[in-house]
Amino acid sequence: NAGVTQTPKFRVLKTGQSMTLLCAQDMNHEYMYWYRQDPGMGLRLIHYSVGEGTTAKGEVPDGYNVSRLKKQNFLLGLESAAPSQTSVYFCASRKNGHGMNTEAFFGQGTRLTVV
Amino acid sequence: KQEVTQIPAALSVPEGENLVLNCSFTDSAIYNLQWFRQDPGKGLTSLLLIQSSQREQTSGRLNASLDKSSGRSTLYIAASQPGDSATYLCAVLGQNFVFGPGTRLSVLP
């Protein structure tokens, strides 16, 4: 019953450092998403994936890269962190299609601070 | 581009009141609409999902309605409790999910 798990939960980076956020889901979902949530800006889509080996850009992709080498994992990378990337990052997943079984499930978030 | 708004931005009510949260979206070409709850410092918890062909969904004290043609959804909470205090977000699914800014609800004991 793990659902969507994000690692790590908290991280402080120095400007210019790199890091990878891991999202893992155990529901065999095809779709996976990375969002960032900022005060006054709401949730904004960074990148998403519709299946293993595929990725696509969302609304705010600059400064981030993603990979989906395995169906259950979706990685978000910051190659050179900037203070503007200080945010709370959420991963989500859902099944393919558009019916009642396509409910989206979210992880608990990663709080990232770039100093 | 899909835009989602929520009214009110914040709401404070005494315990026991029935209340309505509103969600509006600009593009009616959606597959479904989902309501979430977010507690401070936590992730999003799904409350209800309404398919575009449906008019409403119910779960316990929660009832969500959808009028796709007018671009509106409402979340009705009956007999509110202090434990209902949280931020409520609606999201519409077209090509991807687009979220509203949320309504921050406080239920006072």
Side-chain angles (χ1 to χ4, degrees):
Chain A
N1 276 357
V4 179
T5 303
Q6 293 182 230
T7 309
K9 290 183 171 51
F10 303 93
R11 185 74 184 267
V12 178
L13 282 180
K14 293 183 179 179
T15 297
Q17 285 185 320
S18 63
M19 77 164 295
T20 299
L21 283 67
L22 170 63
C23 177
Q25 52 95 5
D26 61 1
M27 297 171 281
N28 201 35
H29 286 171
E30 291 81 11
Y31 283 65
M32 295 188 75
Y33 306 86
W34 276 108
Y35 289 89
R36 60 178 290 173
Q37 187 176 38
D38 302 288
M41 303 294 289
L43 278 148
R44 294 180 293 170
L45 181 63
I46 306 171
H47 285 280
Y48 65 99
S49 168
V50 302
E52 181 178 324
T54 72
T55 63
K57 294 180 180 179
E59 181 184 356
V60 289
D62 294 343
Y64 305 95
N65 57 75
V66 288
S67 64
R68 183 107 182 261
L69 298 180
K70 294 182 179 180
K71 186 177 184 179
Q72 64 267 33
N73 296 336
F74 195 28
L75 279 64
L76 178 71
L78 286 73
E79 290 187 348
S80 180
S84 61
Q85 294 178 303
T86 294
S87 186
V88 181
Y89 292 85
F90 287 102
C91 176
S93 71
R94 70 174 181 92
K95 283 189 68 63
N96 192 13
H98 304 111
M100 288 303 294
N101 64 343
T102 58
E103 185 178 6
F105 294 87
F106 277 75
Q108 288 301 296
T110 296
R111 188 172 298 273
L112 175 66
T113 302
V114 183
V115 297
Chain B
K1 179 185 173 185
Q2 178 74 270
E3 293 185 359
V4 181
T5 56
Q6 292 186 245
I7 294 173
L11 182 63
S12 184
V13 300
E15 180 177 5
E17 274 204 5
N18 302 324
L19 56 97
V20 175
L21 309 181
N22 297 288
C23 172
S24 297
F25 47 96
T26 56
D27 186 350
S28 62
I30 65 169
Y31 294 109
N32 63 45
L33 184 147
Q34 197 166 350
W35 282 93
F36 295 88
R37 167 189 174 134
Q38 185 176 29
D39 294 288
K42 303 294 185 182
L44 281 70
T45 301
S46 178
L47 298 174
L48 288 165
L49 181 147
I50 312 177
Q51 282 185 273
S52 61
S53 59
Q54 297 178 310
R55 299 288 291 184
E56 65 178 64
Q57 279 288 325
T58 298
S59 176
R61 294 182 294 108
L62 304 179
N63 176 276
S65 68
L66 175 64
D67 184 344
K68 198 175 82 160
S69 62
S70 66
R72 295 179 183 178
S73 176
T74 61
L75 180 67
Y76 176 83
I77 302 177
S80 58
Q81 304 170 357
D84 294 331
S85 298
T87 296
Y88 290 80
L89 298 156
C90 68
V92 296
L93 178 63
Q95 181 179 8
N96 286 305
F97 282 104
V98 178
F99 283 81
T103 293
R104 190 169 64 254
L105 173 65
S106 295
V107 181
L108 307 175

